[in-house]
């Protein structure tokens, strides 16, 4: 067994980030189960923990744990890339503690205070009431401050090591863009069209542009670590991916500007560029399959390898296929804001970002628990892998059916009124879908528990293959 | 902006290809650097165009523009009608009508809407409802809620007040009491002033030109 003292300080910090991430993942799922049960039994926790509160906790803890996981990935690989300890690691550790404390306070306020009076003070202290970025303003400023410290860690380390090129160069620019776009979501406007215009800058330009590039970097590192892919190959593909992701995703932003009051040219621009957004995702599949083939599926880390392949396909299917399904304006006019959107949201976030994080953590576990060159493998991770993927398909398939019901009954036929909404929600296709979703949600949660068990034990048991 | 979407789209693509082509001359396409050039150029070009479009859009969606009306629109009758030229539904802004029994000056109306927006955010409305189609899917879309026939067919008789705006304000202060189906909206402790501000906001929002979304709102022969 390798002693943990062989790790860089930065890598120990990464483990801290991943522990918090996995805990928040659990919280996300608990709140997801509550809100999916409220679809079936609306009186459940009514008045105490309304749907709105549990839902905002569900999606905010998701964003946070994915970010924690990515930051962990950066701290894990950075010293390996720069071949030195991270500069300002002490500051980095303080940032981690501050960030975790701030997240805990925000969660407590969401749970206990929930809402406030209709004044600016509420937006500063309790909630901003904007989906995904409900966190109050003080926390926003804190998050930007902490991210700036992390950025400093990354930049200073790369600078000192004189390695500002290739993959690291992409990472630096992308981190700056991630911080910059977050700031676009920090303003109040009484004009809801202006509000939504900037809100989508954060949401879309994060998940469909900057986060995609970030996972491009992280996946590249994982491929090099578990398959031994050459740096030149990874760099070439990464540049191609950046070209395609930013080339289509930046103006693809327009697919959210169809109906918020923005001018008509967005129908064409948004429809055209977002329809091309699956291109980089195809490139990513080709990349992963090509690398796996070149190395004849020989890997030192079975779970990480499987999650990275699942990531390539999940990203393409969840974001590419399910996204394309409703991205043209003539379809989106009727599917906008239905469960089809939720189906796509689940499949895309899971496929692209959950999978990346799991691959990162397994990659690290190999290094933490095994000797150089031993193969990380076991039995439990296989069940977890199959279970989580099946459960996610089981969640999104009924949501897709429910979404079609709404598109048809509520929007196309019913004209989207209050009564049309009720009619669609009371339709048997919709109601049955909610039950199926709940069932697979429970399965997902069980697999999550097994995942935690596997993360705690894999590599420690006899089932591990040693060379 | 004088150009249509197709011109902008073709222009940005041609720009990326031409500039990149200049910089990659002599480079082998199998070298990473070849694609590095494309990555940098496409990011810069697309982002610059997004900024230009952002300035243009922000101008066209400011209060009082053709697409997003001035707050004083709450002093008018509002409708949602099929426009035969545009081949889609458009909000119509008709003759003056009193709103909560009075005509609102520009300043008063702006204050009311600012309050309304703050109330909407402070109560997390968008974590159950959608506004302009964005938000959560546990409750109906509120984009054109002001025009929803249900206020007059079902809620007004239940509450028994004279106008639609009073009906909405009363209902919003006690939605659990006047339930409409098995999912009940929780009581979010809106004061009377806050409820009025929200109703003002809903009326204003129904007058935004949303390119026809939601199609034929309130006009379905199948559902009232
Ligand atoms: C990993 C990448 C992606 C993630 C994580 C993602 C996630 C999401 C989420 C969560 C929403 C709902 C936003 C809300 O709450 O209102 C959404 C909306 C949408 N996404 Fe994606 N998405 C991704 C990529 C894509 C791609 C590549 C496309 C197009 C090909 C696409 C098309 C759309 C469209 C059209 C909507 C609007 C749906 C509506 O009108 O209600 N997405 N996405
Ligand atoms: C136990 C499993 C889960 C259950 C039961 C569940 C349930 C739900 C429910 C009921 C909603 C509210 C949708 C609405 O407004 O009608 C929701 C939203 C959402 N969930 Fe989950 N969820 C689960 C796991 C996940 C996972 C693993 C992810 C991604 C990593 C995820 C991402 C999201 C997103 C992005 C939204 C917002 C969708 C949108 O606005 O379109 N959920 N979830
Ligand atoms: Fe998008």
């Amino acid at each position: 067994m390798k002693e943990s003292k062989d790790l860089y300080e930065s890598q120990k910090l990464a483990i801290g980030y991943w522990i918090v991430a996995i805990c928040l993942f659990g919280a996300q799922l608990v709140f997801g189960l509550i809100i999916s049960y409220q679809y079936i039994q609306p009186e459940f926790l009514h008045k105490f923990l309304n749907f709105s509160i549990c839902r905002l906790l569900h999606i905010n803890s998701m964003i946070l744990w994915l970010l924690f996981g990515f930051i962990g990935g950066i701290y894990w690989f950075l010293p390996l890339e720069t071949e030195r300890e991270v500069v300002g690691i002490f500051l980095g550790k303080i940032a981690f503690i501050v960030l975790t404390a701030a997240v805990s306070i925000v969660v407590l306020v969401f749970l206990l205070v929930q809402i406030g009076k209709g004044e600016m003070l509420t937006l500063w202290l309790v909630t901003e009431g904007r989906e995904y970025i409900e966190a109050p303003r003080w926390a926003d400023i804190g998050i930007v401050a902490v991210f700036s410290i992390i950025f400093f860690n990354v930049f200073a380390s790369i600078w000192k090591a004189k390695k500002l090129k290739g993959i690291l160069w992409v990472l630096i620019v992308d981190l700056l863009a991630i911080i910059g776009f977050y700031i676009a979501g920090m303003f109040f406007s009484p004009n809801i069209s202006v509000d939504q215009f900037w809100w989508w800058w954060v949401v879309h330009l994060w998940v469909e542009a900057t986060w995609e590039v970030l996972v491009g970097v992280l996946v590249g590192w994982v491929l090099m670590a578990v398959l031994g892919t050459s740096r030149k190959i990874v760099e070439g593909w990464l540049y191609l991916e950046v070209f395609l992701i930013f080339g289509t995703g930046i103006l693809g932003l327009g697919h959210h500007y169809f109906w918020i009051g923005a001018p008509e040219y967005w129908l064409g621009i948004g429809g055209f560029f977002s329809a091309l957004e699956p291109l980089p995702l195809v490139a990513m599949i080709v990349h992963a399959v090509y690398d796996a083939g070149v190395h004849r599926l020989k890997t030192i880390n079975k779970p990480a390898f499987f999650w990275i392949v699942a990531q390539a396909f999940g990203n393409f299917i969840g974001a590419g296929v399910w996204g394309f399904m409703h991205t043209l304006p003539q379809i989106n006019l009727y599917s906008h804001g239905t469960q089809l959107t939720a189906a796509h949201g689940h499949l895309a976030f899971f496929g692209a970002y959950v999978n990346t994080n799991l691959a990162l953590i397994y990659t690290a576990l190999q290094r933490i628990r095994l000797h150089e060159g031993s193969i990380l493998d076991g039995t439990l991770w296989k069940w977890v892998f199959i279970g989580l993927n099946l459960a996610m398909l089981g969640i999104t398939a009924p949501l897709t059916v429910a979404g079609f019901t709404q598109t048809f009954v509520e929007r196309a036929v019913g004209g989207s009124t209050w009564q049309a909404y009720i009619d669609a929600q009371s339709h048997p296709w919709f109601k049955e879908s909610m039950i199926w979703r709940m069932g697979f949600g429970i399965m997902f949660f069980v697999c999550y528990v097994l995942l935690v068990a596997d993360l705690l034990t894999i590599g420690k048991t006899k089932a591990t293959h040693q060379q | 902006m004088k150009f249509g979407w197709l011109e902008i789209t073709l222009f940005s693509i041609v720009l990326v290809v031409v500039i990149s082509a200049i910089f990659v001359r002599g480079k082998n396409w199998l070298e990473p650097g070849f694609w590095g050039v494309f990555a940098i150029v496409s990011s810069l070009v697309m982002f610059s165009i997004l900024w230009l479009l952002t300035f243009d859009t922000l101008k066209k969606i400011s209060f009082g523009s053709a697409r997003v009306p001035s707050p004083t629109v709450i002093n008018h009758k509002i409708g949602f009608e099929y426009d035969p030229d545009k081949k889609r539904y458009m909000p119509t802004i008709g003759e003056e009508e009193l709103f909560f029994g009075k005509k609102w000056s520009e300043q008063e109306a702006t204050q009311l809407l600012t309050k309304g927006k703050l109330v909407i955010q402070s109560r997390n409305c968008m974590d159950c409802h959608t506004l302009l189609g964005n938000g959560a899917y546990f409750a109906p879309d509120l984009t054109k809620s002001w025009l929803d026939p249900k206020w007059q067919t079902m809620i007004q008789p239940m509450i028994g007040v004279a106008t639609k705006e009073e009906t909405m304000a009363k209902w919003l202060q006690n939605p659990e009491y006047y339930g409409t189906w098995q999912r009940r909206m929780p009581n979010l402790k809106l004061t009377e002033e806050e409820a009025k501000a929200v109703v003002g906001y809903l009326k204003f929002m129904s007058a935004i030109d949303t390119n026809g979304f939601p199609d034929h709102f309130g006009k379905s022969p199948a559902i009232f």
Side-chain angles (χ1 to χ4, degrees):
Chain A
M1 287 269 160
K2 242 186 174 162
E3 290 296 314
S4 66
K5 61 177 178 288
D6 296 328
L7 298 179
Y8 287 99
E9 285 304 304
S10 162
Q11 293 183 315
K12 292 181 192 159
L13 183 56
I15 298 172
Y17 270 103
W18 283 328
I19 291 173
V20 178
I22 293 295
C23 293
L24 283 169
F25 187 13
Q28 179 202 358
L29 297 180
V30 170
F31 290 114
L33 286 174
I34 295 176
I35 51 180
S36 59
Y37 187 58
Q38 284 171 332
Y39 260 102
I40 300 166
Q41 179 43 266
E43 294 296 311
F44 180 64
L45 291 180
H46 187 70
K47 284 187 196 149
F48 304 105
L49 273 179
N50 289 320
F51 182 90
S52 48
I53 301 300
C54 297
R55 186 198 205 264
L56 75 83
L57 283 163
H58 177 60
I59 57 179
N60 280 270
S61 42
M62 168 190 75
I63 299 287
L64 280 168
W65 88 256
L66 294 174
L67 275 175
F68 268 65
F70 293 153
I71 296 171
I74 294 171
Y75 277 121
W76 180 268
F77 280 104
L78 195 60
L80 303 178
E81 286 282 297
T82 55
E83 295 167 322
R84 55 162 297 145
E85 185 59 80
V86 161
V87 176
I89 186 69
F90 180 69
L91 258 182
K93 284 182 179 168
I94 291 181
F96 168 65
I97 293 168
V98 171
L99 189 59
T100 308
V103 168
S104 317
I105 296 173
V106 171
V107 169
L108 281 179
V109 170
F110 279 152
L111 276 173
L112 301 176
V113 186
Q114 300 191 352
I115 54 176
K117 290 202 196 105
E119 16 186 86
M120 275 314 275
L121 198 63
T122 305
L123 272 50
W124 274 93
L125 298 180
V126 186
T127 173
E128 279 199 66
R130 298 163 83 206
E131 200 191 357
Y132 301 102
I133 48 175
E134 282 92 350
R137 191 72 51 82
W138 72 264
D140 289 345
I141 294 172
I143 288 173
V144 170
V146 167
F147 272 43
S148 306
I149 295 180
I150 296 168
F151 179 79
F152 164 76
N153 281 164
V154 176
F155 186 76
S157 310
I158 297 173
W159 187 260
K160 278 233 167 128
K162 301 203 172 53
K163 294 239 165 132
L164 191 56
K165 53 180 196 257
I167 303 177
L168 293 175
W169 188 83
V170 174
L171 175 70
I172 286 284
V173 176
D174 197 51
L175 284 181
L176 268 185
I178 288 179
I179 298 175
F181 291 146
Y182 188 71
I183 295 174
M186 285 170 52
F187 303 96
F188 171 79
S189 168
N191 180 336
I192 191 164
S193 299
V194 173
D195 172 315
Q196 291 290 293
F197 187 88
W198 290 115
W199 179 78
W200 279 115
W201 268 57
V202 189
V203 178
H204 172 103
L205 292 180
W206 265 23
V207 301
E208 284 168 64
T210 47
W211 282 31
E212 284 284 3
V213 170
L214 183 60
V215 297
V217 170
L218 296 170
V219 167
W221 282 337
V222 173
L223 284 173
M224 292 198 292
V226 305
L227 279 178
T229 305
S230 83
R231 181 171 296 271
K232 193 177 156 196
I233 298 273
V234 168
E235 267 176 21
W237 279 105
L238 183 63
Y239 292 153
L240 177 71
E241 285 160 13
V242 173
F243 160 53
L244 291 173
I245 291 169
F246 284 155
T248 62
I250 292 178
L251 290 181
L253 172 58
H255 66 174
H256 304 294
Y257 293 163
F258 298 160
W259 327 117
I260 64 163
E264 276 159 344
Y265 53 70
W266 287 112
L267 295 173
I269 296 175
F272 181 90
F273 282 101
S274 68
L276 296 180
E277 278 180 39
L279 283 182
L281 311 179
V282 175
M284 288 178 174
I285 290 204
V286 177
H287 179 190
V289 169
Y290 167 86
D291 285 343
V294 164
H295 298 274
R296 297 180 185 281
L297 304 185
K298 274 219 188 77
T299 173
I300 53 162
N301 192 330
K302 283 274 168 62
F305 172 71
F306 269 76
W307 280 112
I308 222 66
V309 173
Q311 194 274 348
F313 283 92
N315 197 358
F316 171 67
I317 295 170
V321 178
W322 253 253
F324 185 81
M325 220 184 257
H326 58 167
T327 203
L328 296 177
Q330 49 278 51
I331 292 164
N332 195 261
L333 176 58
Y334 298 103
S335 68
H336 182 41
T338 63
Q339 295 294 334
L340 193 62
T341 312
H344 156 67
H346 280 89
L347 211 49
F349 265 113
F350 177 77
Y353 302 129
V354 175
N355 292 0
T356 303
N357 270 312
L358 296 183
L360 283 171
I361 297 175
Y362 276 111
T363 306
L365 285 178
Q366 197 266 345
R367 170 78 178 67
I368 295 169
R369 300 223 176 108
L370 298 184
H371 292 288
E372 193 90 33
S374 312
I375 296 174
L376 188 71
D377 199 357
T379 320
L380 187 54
W381 76 263
K382 290 176 187 147
W383 291 105
V384 172
F385 178 83
I386 296 170
L388 281 178
N389 279 297
L390 271 186
M392 189 36 86
L393 286 176
I395 288 173
T396 46
L399 287 182
T400 306
V401 174
F404 280 136
T405 313
Q406 278 187 288
T407 302
F408 195 78
V409 177
E410 176 190 342
R411 297 247 188 269
V413 176
S416 308
T417 54
W418 193 342
Q419 187 58 42
Y421 176 84
I422 294 177
D423 284 0
Q425 303 282 313
S426 319
H427 194 286
W429 289 357
F430 192 98
K431 290 181 110 171
E432 282 163 26
S433 293
M434 291 300 114
I435 295 170
W436 281 101
R437 188 261 302 269
M438 174 94 219
F440 280 105
I442 293 169
M443 172 174 166
F444 196 94
F445 187 76
V446 172
C447 295
Y448 162 79
V449 175
L450 297 178
L451 170 76
V452 174
D454 190 50
L455 290 178
L456 290 174
T457 55
I458 194 170
K460 287 179 176 170
T461 55
K462 284 242 161 68
T464 303
H465 298 216
Q466 304 271 337
Q467 253 185 354
Chain B
M1 181 117 7
K2 291 150 292 288
F3 305 104
W5 73 270
L6 197 58
E7 285 91 336
I8 299 171
T9 300
L10 292 177
F11 173 74
S12 44
I13 293 176
V14 169
L15 208 60
V16 169
V17 173
V18 169
I19 298 182
S20 304
I22 293 173
F23 283 104
V24 295
R25 267 183 318 166
K27 279 201 168 76
N28 181 340
W29 71 280
L30 286 173
E31 283 298 312
F34 182 94
W35 296 105
V37 168
F38 274 88
I40 297 171
V41 172
S42 81
S43 308
L44 289 177
V45 168
M46 294 304 175
F47 198 53
S48 311
I49 289 179
L50 176 62
W51 267 114
L52 291 177
L53 292 172
T54 294
F55 283 122
D56 185 65
T57 299
L58 288 177
K59 223 166 41 216
K60 288 180 178 159
I61 62 176
S62 57
F63 277 134
S65 61
R67 308 189 59 91
V68 179
S70 146
T72 53
V73 75
I74 58 173
N75 294 319
H76 290 263
K77 277 205 159 63
I78 292 165
F80 194 51
E81 299 296 333
Y82 185 71
D83 181 327
D85 295 330
K86 297 210 148 154
K87 302 275 185 286
R88 63 170 168 86
Y89 277 77
M90 285 272 286
T92 55
I93 295 165
E95 61 196 51
E96 286 199 357
E97 66 179 7
L98 295 180
F99 185 66
F100 285 110
K102 68 178 231 184
K103 182 175 170 176
W104 298 69
S105 73
E106 169 130 25
Q107 201 200 351
E108 286 170 331
T110 307
Q111 270 173 4
L112 185 78
L113 294 198
T114 305
K115 183 81 185 169
K117 182 71 169 17
L118 283 169
V119 176
I120 288 171
Q121 289 185 227
S122 68
R123 299 310 200 283
N124 296 317
C125 302
M126 289 175 87
D127 289 314
C128 280
H129 293 276
T130 44
L131 277 69
L132 302 174
N134 296 321
Y137 320 121
F138 194 60
D141 181 60
L142 300 181
T143 310
K144 304 283 171 192
S145 172
W146 169 257
L147 303 171
D148 201 302
K150 206 178 200 53
W151 293 117
Q152 273 136 329
T153 56
M154 182 178 187
I155 311 291
Q156 199 163 349
M158 227 158 41
I159 296 181
V161 287
T163 63
K164 174 156 76 167
E165 57 266 30
E166 282 167 307
T167 304
M168 292 170 71
K170 274 263 152 31
W171 188 84
L172 282 169
Q173 287 171 75
N174 208 345
E176 285 180 313
Y177 185 70
Y178 305 106
T180 52
W181 61 314
Q182 69 267 44
R183 253 180 245 169
R184 294 184 299 157
M185 175 165 152
N187 189 333
L188 297 168
K189 311 258 163 31
L190 268 67
T191 64
E192 190 175 341
E193 188 210 353
E194 288 181 326
K196 278 187 179 175
V198 172
V199 177
Y201 209 88
L202 292 175
K203 183 167 185 183
F204 155 77
M205 187 161 55
S206 73
I208 296 175
D209 181 356
T210 51
N211 288 337
F213 176 85
D215 188 41
H216 68 89
F217 182 89
K219 305 278 181 184
S220 168
I223 296 165
F224 54 81

